[in-house]
């Protein structure tokens, strides 16, 4: 149960709904819609063990589960509606080991945020757009908008002031704490008065924060003249590519990728991000004949950093933004026309030897992830056996 939802609208419901939900369930749905939209969630049916909501309950969070405010916790009563302050919302359903009921059903949709200032945390920079109409309505000119580093100028169009702020320049600072890795800068909006100044200058503090499972994007005004609050969530830009040899020089561009049993398969994961102080490792890779279901029929190559297949091996990468590994095509493939791989990558701070990126094989529970780490899922495939393909030697 649970999972990631990215469509503009959809339905959430407890396991087996409208039948009885199972005991000892703990499901988390992460809803993430487009940038600069919000999530609205409405419950249509709730039948659960009530009283104090300590045994069975639903929780709604305004963003990622472990780092966001709790919007509500309930188990019965009227059908509530919640609206997020960002483009992300999390819903948790928990049941204990006793009574079971019908559960719940809820519908979510996305609505425009309707603000005049937007921010996106892209792989190489922070993209910030300020409406000129908005500035003029507050009595400010586009000519008075600058960054901490005045040499980094915005692009000014007839309608917008646009900044592309790199993570490694233009005065962007980096800070690591227990919960996030922060990239911050400040857009300054100065009053145009030279002799008499009746308005305060505005400082728009821009932050991209790497949380457990997302980038959080924050903008707020430090001065009391104008208040701007923007929260957006995004994801790391990660891809995995097959290569035809351990030299990792030529990518395999054909899809599906036709192979022989026991053939060596070489893969490279690449993180596209301008921060050089990040490290990528392979945490888990699982094979399945269905790219939407990696639970029913699954074959693990590596799990929580621990190899499960004897042919799995890693290679030294060219930089910390890459991870390289190999395995042999396996008998599992001869039973299904196509096979897909889902690999979960860990992204950590370079040199953080307490992180799982440096610990290697771990028997930790799935949720036991350090706050300075991020898990990224990538699906690759399909793989198909060559026509008449019989077991062959390694190639």
């Amino acid at each position: 149960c649970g999972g990631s939802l990215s469509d503009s609208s959809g339905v959430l419901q407890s396991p087996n709904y409208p039948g009885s939900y199972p005991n000892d369930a703990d499901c988390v749905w992460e809803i993430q819609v487009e940038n600069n939209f919000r999530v609205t969630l409405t419950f249509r049916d709730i039948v659960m063990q009530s009283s104090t909501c300590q045994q069975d309950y639903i929780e709604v969070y305004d963003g990622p589960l472990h780092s966001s405010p709790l919007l509500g916790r309930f188990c019965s009563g009227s059908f509530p509606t919640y609206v997020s302050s960002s483009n992300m919302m999390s819903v948790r359903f928990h049941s204990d080991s006793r009574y079971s009921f019908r559960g719940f059903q809820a519908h979510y949709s996305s609505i425009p945020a309707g603000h005049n200032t937007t921010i996106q945390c892209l792989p190489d920079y922070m993209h910030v757009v300020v409406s000129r109409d908005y500035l003029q309505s507050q009595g400010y000119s586009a000519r008075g908008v600058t960054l901490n580093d005045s040499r980094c100028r915005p692009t000014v169009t007839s309608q917008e002031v646009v900044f592309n702020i790199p993570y490694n320049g233009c005065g962007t600072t980096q800070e690591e704490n227990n919960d996030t890795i922060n990239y911050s800068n400040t857009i300054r909006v100065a009053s145009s008065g030279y002799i008499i100044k009746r308005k305060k200058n505005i400082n728009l503090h821009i932050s991209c924060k790497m949380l457990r499972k997302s980038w959080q994007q924050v903008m707020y005004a430090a001065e009391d003249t104008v208040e701007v609050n923007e929260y957006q969530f995004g994801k790391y830009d990660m891809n995995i590519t097959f290569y035809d040899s351990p030299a990792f020089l030529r990518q395999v561009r054909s899809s599906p990728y036709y192979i022989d049993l026991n053939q060596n398969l070489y893969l490279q994961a690449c993180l596209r991000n301008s921060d050089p102080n990040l490290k990528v490792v392979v945490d888990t890779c699982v094979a399945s004949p269905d790219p939407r279901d990696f639970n029913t029929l699954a074959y693990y190559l590596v799990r929580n950093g621990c190899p499960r297949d004897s042919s799995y091996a890693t290679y030294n990468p060219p930089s910390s933004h890459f991870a390289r590994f190999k395995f042999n095509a396996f008998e599992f493939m001869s039973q299904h026309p196509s096979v897909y791989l889902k690999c979960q990558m860990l992204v950590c701070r370079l040199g953080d030897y307490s992180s799982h990126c440096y610990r290697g094989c771990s028997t930790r529970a799935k949720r036991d992830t350090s706050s300075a780490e991020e898990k990224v899922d990538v699906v690759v495939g399909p793989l198909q056996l060559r026509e008449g393909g019989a077991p062959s030697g390694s190639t």
Side-chain angles (χ1 to χ4, degrees):
C1 62
S4 299
L5 305 172
S6 57
D7 293 336
S8 58
S9 63
V11 174
L12 284 69
Q13 56 192 30
S14 50
N16 303 329
Y17 180 89
S20 297
Y21 52 76
N23 291 326
D24 299 313
D26 200 42
C27 315
V28 177
W29 292 266
E30 289 186 341
I31 307 168
Q32 183 175 337
V33 296
E34 289 185 44
N35 280 334
N36 304 305
F37 279 72
R38 301 187 190 280
V39 181
T40 177
L41 178 72
T42 301
F43 285 83
R44 295 173 168 176
D45 188 19
I46 305 172
V47 179
M48 300 170 60
Q49 182 180 0
S50 55
S51 70
T52 60
C53 295
Q54 294 299 312
Q55 291 79 30
D56 299 353
Y57 55 83
I58 303 165
E59 293 177 329
V60 179
Y61 289 86
D62 191 13
L65 179 70
H66 298 287
S67 56
S68 302
L70 177 66
L71 296 177
R73 176 173 175 161
F74 53 93
C75 57
S76 62
S78 59
F79 300 158
T81 294
Y82 296 96
V83 179
S84 66
S85 63
S86 71
N87 66 327
M88 190 171 184
M89 178 185 284
S90 296
V91 180
R92 181 187 180 203
F93 167 71
H94 175 82
S95 66
D96 68 1
S97 58
R98 298 185 67 187
Y99 309 108
S100 184
F101 296 84
R102 187 167 72 231
F104 77 91
Q105 185 181 72
H107 177 269
Y108 80 88
S109 60
S110 59
I111 57 175
H115 286 296
N116 293 308
T117 307
T118 61
I119 176 173
Q120 291 178 281
C121 288
L122 300 175
D124 296 320
Y125 53 85
M126 296 179 276
H127 181 72
V128 184
V129 178
V130 183
S131 164
R132 291 190 67 175
D133 288 343
Y134 164 72
L135 291 172
Q136 290 167 6
S137 71
Q138 303 299 318
Y140 295 93
S141 165
R143 294 190 301 274
V145 182
T146 61
L147 273 182
N148 265 344
D149 185 341
S150 59
R151 293 171 297 179
C152 298
R153 302 294 302 171
T155 299
V156 180
T157 70
S158 60
Q159 297 181 320
E160 299 170 334
V161 179
V162 181
F163 284 95
N164 290 326
I165 308 170
Y167 296 120
N168 259 14
C170 291
T172 300
T173 60
Q174 301 179 21
E175 179 188 14
E176 183 174 357
N177 58 35
N178 291 334
D179 299 315
T180 56
I181 300 170
N182 302 343
Y183 301 91
S184 302
N185 210 311
T186 302
I187 295 177
R188 304 187 186 281
V189 185
S191 172
S192 57
Y194 293 100
I195 301 174
I196 301 176
K197 190 159 79 171
R198 300 187 183 277
K199 284 183 175 291
K200 290 186 176 181
N201 294 339
I202 303 174
N203 293 334
L204 299 176
H205 296 281
I206 314 297
S207 295
C208 285
K209 301 184 178 181
M210 190 177 78
L211 301 175
R212 290 169 65 95
K213 285 194 173 184
S214 65
W215 283 84
Q216 181 188 9
Q217 303 160 53
V218 182
M219 177 184 294
Y220 64 93
E223 304 292 343
D224 60 3
T225 309
V226 180
E227 292 295 333
V228 179
N229 292 281
E230 286 293 337
Y231 300 87
Q232 299 296 322
F233 295 87
K235 294 179 180 178
Y236 272 126
D237 187 355
M238 180 90 70
N239 65 45
I240 291 182
T241 308
F242 284 102
Y243 281 78
D244 65 356
S245 77
F248 293 94
L249 295 176
R250 292 188 300 273
Q251 293 185 13
V252 176
R253 300 187 182 277
S254 58
S255 182
Y257 181 17
Y258 291 98
I259 58 176
D260 298 316
L261 284 181
N262 206 36
Q263 176 180 332
N264 278 339
L265 302 177
Y266 305 95
L267 296 97
Q268 176 175 273
C270 175
L271 169 67
R272 183 169 172 260
N273 191 276
S274 61
D275 181 3
N277 298 308
L278 297 176
K279 178 178 175 64
V280 176
V281 299
V282 183
D283 182 70
T284 299
C285 265
V286 57
S288 168
D290 186 345
R292 298 169 299 277
D293 180 2
F294 287 87
N295 295 309
T296 306
L297 286 173
Y299 179 80
Y300 281 91
L301 298 165
V302 56
R303 192 171 192 177
N304 295 334
C306 304
R308 294 294 185 89
D309 183 280
S310 60
S311 69
Y312 176 85
T314 59
Y315 295 87
N316 288 330
S319 81
S320 62
H321 280 204
F322 293 86
R324 289 175 170 178
F325 59 102
K326 57 84 68 172
F327 63 92
N328 290 0
F330 35 86
E331 190 65 30
F332 179 79
M333 290 196 58
S334 65
Q335 305 167 29
H336 306 281
S338 298
V339 171
Y340 296 81
L341 295 180
K342 180 180 181 180
C343 293
Q344 190 171 70
M345 313 301 296
L346 276 183
V347 182
C348 313
R349 295 297 289 172
L350 192 62
D352 179 8
Y353 296 100
S354 65
S355 72
H356 292 298
C357 286
Y358 288 91
R359 290 188 209 167
C361 178
S362 170
T363 57
R364 70 190 185 278
K366 184 176 181 182
R367 296 186 178 198
D368 179 23
T369 307
S370 155
S371 57
E373 301 164 16
E374 161 138 356
K375 287 188 173 182
V376 183
D377 288 343
V378 185
V379 176
V380 64
L383 301 171
Q384 292 186 3
L385 284 180
R386 234 185 289 274
E387 286 294 328
S392 65
S394 298
T395 59

